[in-house]
Amino acid sequence: MADLDIDFFRALLLARRQETLALNDARRASQQTVELDQSRVGRLSRMDALQQQAMAQATQRNTDLMLLEIKAALRRCEEGSFGLCCECDEPIGEKRLHIAPTSRKCIACAQHEK
């Protein structure tokens, strides 16, 4: 796409990857195995810890997905297909790419998906 500043979007994607990796490192402590020693932790505290662990694991899955989407968008930058809808090959709106640079579909195709 001639109108898009691919270098800008590449830099944006790389910055988002760095932010995501930094947040991921900060969350690692909450994903550790829950201690089930009843003499040390009460039943409600254990249940709370298990719930927090489950939420941390779900967050990790979302983080992994985001990193894959960023990797795919960076690959599209290199291949020259960044900013083109994977369904209709029409340009994805630049405003949409500023908000969600990992977008693979234009608004029309994304709405048909729902």
Side-chain angles (χ1 to χ4, degrees):
M1 293 197 47
D3 294 350
L4 286 181
D5 183 355
I6 296 298
D7 291 333
F8 168 82
F9 286 105
R10 183 181 297 113
L12 181 63
L13 289 161
L14 290 171
R16 289 210 179 164
R17 181 174 68 183
Q18 268 317 108
E19 291 170 10
T20 303
L21 289 171
L23 287 171
N24 191 41
D25 289 343
R27 284 193 294 260
R28 292 235 186 254
S30 62
Q31 296 173 354
Q32 295 176 355
T33 303
V34 175
E35 179 66 46
L36 294 178
D37 182 1
Q38 289 186 357
S39 65
R40 292 180 52 206
V41 179
R43 188 173 129 257
L44 292 177
S45 296
R46 241 183 0 271
M47 288 173 55
D48 184 48
L50 288 169
Q51 183 180 25
Q52 288 178 3
Q53 183 185 37
M55 290 187 320
Q57 290 170 345
T59 299
Q60 183 63 51
R61 285 189 296 274
N62 289 338
T63 298
D64 292 343
L65 179 60
M66 175 56 69
L67 290 170
L68 287 173
E69 289 174 351
I70 290 170
K71 183 178 180 180
L74 287 168
R75 185 173 42 247
R76 289 192 301 276
C77 285
E78 298 305 316
E79 294 171 350
S81 61
F82 181 83
L84 295 176
C85 178
C86 67
E87 293 287 321
C88 67
D89 278 334
E90 291 295 318
I92 298 172
E94 190 168 350
K95 288 182 183 179
R96 177 170 171 77
L97 291 171
H98 277 277
I99 294 168
T102 59
S103 296
R104 297 179 321 110
K105 295 182 180 181
C106 66
I107 291 287
C109 290
Q111 287 176 341
H112 288 297
E113 188 177 271
K114 294 181 180 180

